[in-house]
Amino acid sequence: MAEPTTVVAVVTTYLATIPSPDQGVWQLGPIPIRAYALCIILGIILAIWWGERRWVARGGLKGEVTDIAVFAVPFGLVGGRLYHVATDHEKYFGEGRNPLEALAIWNGGLGIWGAIALGGVGAWIGCRRKGIPLPAMADALAPGIVVAQAIGRLGNYFNQELYGGPTTLPWGLEIYERIDPATGFKDELGGVALDHTPIEIVHPTFLYELLWNLGVALLIVWADRRFRLGHGRVFALYVAGYTAGRFWIELMRTDPATHVFGMRINVITSVVVFLGAVVYFLAAARRGGREVIVRGETTAEPTGSDRAATDADAADEGEPGSTGEGTTVPDTKTARDATASDRPADTGDKPGQ
């Protein structure tokens, strides 16, 4: 029978660390089900769903976010993979490497910088085709994007990747050796942990970034409702908030990475992108309050039951109701209310009659 002190020590040790999943891939017949891919898909679905709600509350049409996603998502996946391969090329090219592995996106490896950059190009193409202002669409999508990134980090947890150095903190992450049960050879991505003795206990930097991203989502939703941000400022605030966290989290990571000027390349990228986002945020403030999308040939506000229905939809997201496609006007008192000299004489006729 085990000594009480031994039992307490074992229980304390177990509760003081975070166990890793035994595996990140399950076989459904000949089809591999990969946790990383499922997390990416779930994140994309959530981003589209939430972005759709925010876009409709701003005056957009239901279905327009999905139309834009048709361009933005594949562009983003390609861009994310290109950035990863370019900055970690030694994993795929050179002696003993298989260049075809660069196409195996399901094994992990997406650079958010490339995903946002090329995804933005795809979104711009989609917006141009639909006659939608890109900054307004980006503001609607921003919270969903950063939450999707948080969900994607769960995929890194299943892959046992993106962690930091050794730690004795209570939330240290246990790393197991995974092997291919059929061959007995080491297989970090597709293998199974048969022995739950940790080979090391490390900082779960994937978890730090996950929690940070959720905090950024709360921040930008609050700021958007409080200050009625527009003209791409919500998106800029998301980028600035994300890169601020990525900077210090990146400094904790110990996985191999390309270094520039003695620092991980993602550290430098975080600083550059953060500064660009702050500059844009401040510059866009000169354009006034949040833009309102205007549909049709009139900017008249709805009245009666129509206005009540529109406002009810907008209240669901804490944002103003509006209508429109293609053009925007600032959502300020000056823009909404014409001056006496600008208004036509009251003839008693109703619009459209």
Side-chain angles (χ1 to χ4, degrees), residues 16-20 153 156-157 160-175 198-211 248-255 264:
T17 55
I18 302 173
S20 288
R153 284 308 181 213
N156 300 130
Y157 171 55
Q160 283 196 146
E161 59 187 2
L162 300 192
Y163 52 80
T167 182
T168 57
L169 292 172
W171 53 83
L173 176 69
E174 297 180 0
I175 300 298
I199 57 177
E200 55 183 333
I201 298 177
V202 297
H203 279 284
T205 51
F206 82 90
L207 179 59
Y208 299 163
E209 185 172 330
L210 185 158
L211 296 175
W248 64 267
I249 293 171
E250 193 71 28
L251 291 174
M252 299 181 67
R253 287 173 54 177
T254 58
D255 53 308
R264 295 170 67 95

Side-chain angles (χ1 to χ4, degrees), residues 89-334:
H89 55 84
E90 68 280 353
K91 295 181 179 180
Y92 309 101
F93 305 101
E95 186 176 356
R97 300 295 184 179
N98 180 9
L100 293 179
E101 286 294 318
L103 303 177
I105 191 174
W106 50 86
N107 286 335
L110 288 174
I112 185 60
W113 320 109
I116 293 298
L118 208 53
V121 173
W124 175 78
I125 293 173
C127 285
R128 289 275 293 180
R129 290 172 61 91
K130 299 288 294 184
I132 294 172
L134 179 60
M137 176 61 72
D139 283 344
L141 295 175
I145 292 176
V146 72
V147 172
Q149 289 176 236
I151 295 174
R153 284 308 181 213
L154 287 175
N156 300 130
Y157 171 55
F158 280 94
N159 279 0
Q160 283 196 146
E161 59 187 2
L162 300 192
Y163 52 80
T167 182
T168 57
L169 292 172
W171 53 83
L173 176 69
E174 297 180 0
I175 300 298
Y176 307 136
E177 183 178 50
R178 291 178 175 176
I179 63 173
D180 183 342
T183 64
F185 292 119
K186 184 177 180 180
D187 186 350
E188 295 179 352
L189 288 178
V192 179
L194 302 179
D195 183 357
H196 292 90
T197 302
I199 57 177
E200 55 183 333
I201 298 177
V202 297
H203 279 284
T205 51
F206 82 90
L207 179 59
Y208 299 163
E209 185 172 330
L210 185 158
L211 296 175
W212 183 273
N213 289 349
L214 294 179
V216 170
L218 291 175
L219 170 66
I220 62 179
V221 168
W222 170 82
D224 190 23
R225 293 180 177 180
R226 175 66 178 81
F227 302 106
R228 300 179 60 77
L229 302 176
H231 304 287
R233 299 181 76 201
V234 181
F235 192 85
L237 185 59
Y238 141 63
V239 173
Y242 172 75
T243 52
R246 184 63 183 266
F247 173 80
W248 64 267
I249 293 171
E250 193 71 28
L251 291 174
M252 299 181 67
R253 287 173 54 177
T254 58
D255 53 308
T258 301
H259 284 68
V260 178
F261 305 121
M263 292 186 293
R264 295 170 67 95
I265 190 170
N266 285 333
V267 173
I268 297 176
T269 304
S270 295
V271 173
V272 172
V273 176
F274 172 82
L275 294 175
V278 171
V279 169
Y280 180 91
F281 183 86
L282 297 176
R286 300 177 181 177
R287 302 185 62 184
R290 179 188 300 169
E291 66 271 50
V292 175
I293 302 170
V294 179
R295 294 193 183 281
E297 298 180 357
T298 177
T299 60
E301 294 186 356
T303 59
S305 60
D306 291 337
R307 177 166 186 165
T310 303
D311 290 344
D313 291 338
D316 184 56
E317 287 297 311
E319 297 168 353
S322 58
T323 58
E325 177 181 5
T327 59
T328 60
V329 295
D331 183 26
T332 62
K333 182 175 178 60
T334 302

Side-chain angles (χ1 to χ4, degrees), residues 26-33:
W26 297 265
Q27 290 294 141
L28 184 62
I31 303 175
I33 306 299

